[in-house]
Amino acid sequence: MCGIIGYVGREPAAPILLDGLERMEYRGYDSAGIAVRSETRGLQVKKAKGRLKALYDLTHGGADMEGTLGIGHTRWATHGEPNDINAHPHISENGQIALVHNGIIENYLELKEHLLRQGVTFTSDTDSEVVAQLLEFHYNECHNMLEAVGRCLRRIEGSYAFGIICADYPNALIAARKDAPLLLGYGDGENYIASDVTAILKHTRKVSYMDDGEIAVVTNDSIDVFDSELEPVEKTICQVDWDVASAEKGGYPHFMLKEIMEQPEAIRKTVSPRIRDGRIVLDELHLTREDVAAFARIFIIACGSSYHVGMVSKYNWERLLRRPVEVMLASEFRYCDPLVDERTLVIVISQSGETLDTMAAMREAKRRGGRTLAIVNVVGSSIAREADDVLYTWAGPEIAVATTKAYSTQLVLMDLVGLYFAEELGTVDEETYAAVLAEIQLLPEKMQVFLEHTEDVQYLASRYFNHDSIFFIGRNLDYAMGMEGSLKLKEISYIHSEAYASGELKHGTISLIEQGTLVVALGTYAPLFDKAMSNVVEVKARGAEVLALTTEDLAEKVSKTADATIAVPVTHPILQPSLGVVPLQLFAYYVALQRGCDIDKPRNLAKSVTVE
Ligand code: F6R
């Protein structure tokens, strides 16, 4: 949430900042701003409410702002409504210090009171402005920016990634981080800070990731990093292998559609390197067979769609491993006094690797002695770095706020890991192991076949886009998959929707079914197909319009009851959600398109939720 970029070099900074912000706009898009410093004009700041386009127009693409040093920010509001004043950068009272912030300053009111008593005047409602003012206060005390930042950080509580420039420092950016992502980019005669690597990928692939408590002083030819005691820290520079094209739309009208279409290839990249001679090989994993055997309990912790991956995995892993697997929302896990000890494996799933609730849950699990394994997409992200073990999904950059390819790669990776552990534990027979593994390898091909003909889904979206409430029902894996289908639909089309376990419907919710209510009936899980169909008959009897999703071999049977049917290729039953979710993603996409929604940037949302 909130995107930060900073540049220092020889080129005009403003266009570089705007370009970087555009690539990070999915992190927040209610307002944006940039601050640039030049010899002749000093600190100049421009901010605009709304999408980045407004700031772009206001600055004529940055041409109005002179200077080769600057910071930029795209905002997802927490404190203070989205408007020009609350937009970042925030400027200290004397106009000499500009600051951008991602995170939340928890003790900002107390600090503000203190500064008000010193006679400081505030212009915005934000917690971030308090830090800009506090910085000026300490700078006036010590006249050294690094020291002032250090003093400031010792007083603030909460989470932050800061980018700071000061009129007295014509060639330096200052960055600091705690519990919010921030990385340093190494160029040639120019350097960068950014909350997201996609913002600077065009300029450099050499990065280092800041750790909590660190402060960096970035000039055009040096990057010096210090710990909270201002002692120098050596950073490891990593090479990012994502390419620029993968973070661009490449001819698609939306990133979401592009990312849906990229799923077969993304799954291939996740799976292929991990299969050798018909066996799963997880070189990155440090867990021994004895470690796995010693776990008495497994938790899967995540938020949103990643949590839905956990839901599917719970069913599959318990089936394969014969061990209790509990899936919990990260925001709940943290405060429920969880039963975690040295015999607990805690798996955290996160695309961004920065979701604060997931991160905090993982830390809590570690504190209690649990062994943590992270399933993450973004290489070098905070969760990936803090987990005991990490397995990357290698889905490439995901830009659309609504996740698709990250979900699919997480799911297939969890299936792979589940199968691997089951073999280690001896809880899966050779025949099942070989059958599931063979089908995992066929998933990209089968998904591709489905994606080549999306006309039926498009047609059904145009038939149903006017409904204002939609239910997704299914049993077992279909229920878990329905949760994802329902979330996709509501987040981008704004249609109210709920996912229900089919068998549970008659315990209350069926009262909402009336003439014409759209029910998306999920019947892809063969072992429970007949049971699922009897629940379809129940809603039909109450007037529901039924759109069924099933497998090709069951389509004929379903179409006798349902009003419309979508069929996906058949795979092993435990892998069926990997194929079933694709039409649900497409349905959400085309419904949102029909309704004229802003698909890649849905209202009130942002990618990478770094606040609690
Ligand atoms: C929904 C979506 C969110 C994320 C959730 C967790 O389309 O993208 O629900 O799945 O915010 O994010 P990560 O996986 O980055 O931890």
Side-chain angles (χ1 to χ4, degrees):
M1 279 177 164
C2 298
I4 288 180
I5 182 165
Y7 170 80
V8 52
R10 302 185 200 106
E11 302 295 322
I16 293 172
L17 299 175
L18 286 170
D19 180 73
L21 291 179
E22 192 184 339
R23 289 164 197 280
M24 274 190 302
E25 208 184 358
Y26 58 83
R27 293 191 78 98
Y29 31 84
D30 57 47
S31 56
I34 49 180
V36 175
R37 185 201 179 278
S38 82
E39 271 322 315
T40 47
R41 296 201 215 157
L43 269 190
Q44 313 133 73
V45 181
K46 298 272 186 204
K47 316 198 256 189
K49 180 185 167 187
R51 295 292 160 91
L52 189 65
K53 173 87 175 54
L55 180 66
Y56 192 89
D57 292 345
L58 182 74
T59 60
H60 298 98
D64 290 357
M65 299 178 81
E66 190 186 294
T68 58
L69 166 74
I71 48 177
H73 187 268
T74 174
R75 181 171 186 242
W76 187 87
T78 55
H79 296 64
E81 63 172 282
N83 60 27
D84 288 359
I85 292 172
N86 290 332
H88 299 217
H90 289 287
I91 307 299
S92 67
E93 201 175 17
N94 66 7
Q96 299 301 292
I97 295 170
L99 169 142
V100 288
H101 169 218
N102 173 23
I104 290 182
I105 306 302
E106 284 160 9
N107 61 338
Y108 83 105
L109 279 176
E110 184 191 306
L111 295 169
K112 190 169 180 174
E113 293 280 308
H114 165 77
L115 291 165
L116 283 168
R117 281 197 298 275
Q118 310 291 318
V120 175
T121 314
F122 287 83
T123 52
S124 80
D125 307 320
T126 66
D127 52 338
S128 312
E129 187 194 353
V130 174
V131 184
Q133 306 289 17
L134 189 65
L135 207 47
E136 180 187 309
F137 176 81
H138 286 302
Y139 185 66
N140 287 342
E141 280 174 350
C142 63
H143 304 288
N144 176 309
M145 203 51 188
L146 182 60
E147 175 59 31
V149 172
R151 286 184 192 186
C152 215
L153 298 188
R154 282 192 279 279
R155 292 189 63 182
I156 60 183
E157 287 161 21
S159 58
Y160 51 78
F162 291 128
I164 300 159
I165 56 175
C166 172
D168 291 348
Y169 291 74
N171 183 33
L173 284 168
I174 307 231
R177 107 152 225 169
K178 180 174 165 274
D179 293 337
L182 201 58
L183 55 88
L184 306 165
Y186 300 74
D188 184 11
E190 53 189 20
N191 288 314
Y192 304 82
I193 63 168
S195 45
D196 198 321
V197 74
T198 48
I200 57 169
L201 216 48
K202 199 169 152 182
H203 308 286
T204 182
R205 300 201 184 180
K206 284 201 287 185
V207 303
S208 69
Y209 300 96
M210 291 188 72
D211 287 310
D212 280 352
E214 287 179 350
I215 307 173
V217 179
V218 182
T219 69
N220 61 345
D221 55 12
S222 65
I223 298 185
D224 296 310
V225 181
F226 305 89
D227 66 14
S228 54
E229 303 303 319
L230 304 187
E231 292 298 324
V233 175
E234 274 301 313
K235 299 299 288 181
T236 310
I237 299 178
C238 319
Q239 187 78 19
V240 178
D241 61 6
W242 287 358
D243 58 18
V244 183
S246 59
E248 286 173 350
K249 277 192 205 148
Y252 285 95
H254 297 97
F255 278 111
M256 183 175 177
L257 187 60
K258 177 182 178 240
E259 288 159 6
I260 290 174
M261 295 300 176
E262 280 173 354
Q263 291 180 109
E265 189 49 28
I267 290 180
R268 218 170 264 129
K269 284 189 177 146
T270 309
V271 169
S272 305
R274 293 177 166 126
I275 299 179
R276 267 178 246 146
D277 303 325
R279 309 312 298 175
I280 302 166
V281 183
L282 299 176
D283 288 331
E284 318 106 289
L285 207 60
H286 304 107
L287 288 168
T288 62
R289 189 182 294 263
E290 291 69 37
D291 290 335
V292 177
F295 293 129
R297 198 184 169 95
I298 299 172
F299 273 105
I300 303 177
I301 314 289
C303 302
S305 295
S306 298
Y307 168 77
H308 297 156
V309 169
M311 286 291 294
V312 175
S313 304
K314 174 190 164 66
Y315 287 113
N316 284 346
W317 281 40
E318 286 192 338
R319 205 165 281 145
L320 288 167
L321 271 61
R322 309 314 301 157
R323 289 273 191 293
V325 177
E326 202 169 329
V327 53
M328 273 191 92
L329 292 166
S331 51
E332 290 296 313
F333 175 86
R334 203 178 159 185
Y335 300 113
C336 76
D337 198 3
L339 294 170
V340 173
D341 61 19
E342 293 71 21
R343 295 190 63 208
T344 313
L345 173 63
V346 178
I347 301 192
V348 293
I349 308 178
S350 176
Q351 185 286 128
S352 59
E354 300 292 351
T355 302
L356 188 71
D357 283 323
T358 311
M359 175 79 172
M362 184 177 81
R363 285 180 179 163
E364 182 60 25
K366 280 183 111 171
R367 204 179 61 77
R368 288 169 185 255
R371 174 84 184 237
T372 54
L373 163 60
I375 305 288
V376 172
N377 189 39
V378 178
V379 174
S381 55
S382 307
I383 292 176
R385 284 181 295 140
E386 278 193 33
D388 296 319
D389 280 275
V390 57
L391 291 173
Y392 286 110
T393 47
W394 297 326
E398 190 179 63
I399 310 290
V401 165
T403 181
T404 52
K405 65 174 179 173
Y407 171 93
S408 290
T409 51
Q410 289 167 348
L411 194 57
V412 76
L413 186 51
M414 283 297 283
D415 287 329
L416 213 57
V417 179
L419 198 58
Y420 175 85
F421 283 170
E423 195 202 19
E424 301 251 285
L425 293 173
T427 50
V428 65
D429 59 67
E430 184 56 34
E431 200 185 329
T432 311
Y433 180 90
V436 176
L437 195 55
E439 282 298 328
I440 286 180
Q441 288 170 281
L442 288 174
L443 279 176
E445 211 173 299
K446 293 188 177 181
M447 196 181 273
Q448 188 64 48
V449 169
F450 183 84
L451 283 169
E452 271 156 26
H453 298 284
T454 60
E455 309 81 5
D456 289 356
V457 185
Q458 283 189 55
Y459 161 70
L460 291 168
S462 66
R463 186 162 142 189
Y464 292 127
F465 78 95
N466 264 331
H467 282 256
D468 56 12
S469 186
I470 301 180
F471 291 84
F472 288 73
I473 62 168
R475 285 173 179 263
N476 202 276
L477 293 182
D478 280 329
Y479 167 47
M481 180 176 79
M483 294 173 86
E484 178 59 7
S486 167
L487 179 64
K488 282 290 84 86
L489 184 77
K490 65 188 133 198
E491 71 182 317
I492 60 167
S493 74
Y494 316 142
I495 296 175
H496 166 257
S497 139
E498 285 184 44
Y500 249 82
S502 310
E504 183 63 14
L505 210 61
K506 55 186 160 301
H507 297 287
T509 309
I510 203 164
S511 64
L512 295 171
I513 305 291
E514 51 187 28
Q515 198 59 39
T517 305
L518 181 62
V519 173
V520 179
L522 307 170
T524 71
Y525 184 56
L528 290 175
F529 176 76
D530 291 332
K531 292 255 180 252
M533 284 316 289
S534 27
N535 301 124
V536 173
V537 175
E538 286 163 11
V539 292
K540 276 293 307 166
R542 283 150 185 90
E545 170 86 9
V546 172
L547 162 57
L549 171 64
T550 188
T551 48
E552 280 163 357
D553 56 341
L554 297 168
E556 208 183 311
K557 244 178 165 177
V558 174
S559 57
K560 294 198 177 99
T561 315
D563 299 286
T565 306
I566 302 172
V568 292
V570 182
T571 180
H572 190 282
I574 72 167
L575 305 176
Q576 206 62 63
S578 285
L579 296 178
V581 77
V582 176
L584 301 181
Q585 296 166 341
L586 284 166
F587 183 68
Y589 174 81
Y590 287 116
V591 165
L593 195 65
Q594 291 279 344
R595 292 167 72 95
C597 299
D598 191 346
I599 293 178
D600 283 340
K601 299 190 188 84
R603 72 182 176 210
N604 303 339
L605 292 175
K607 209 165 180 74
S608 187
V609 183
T610 52
V611 293
E612 200 176 346

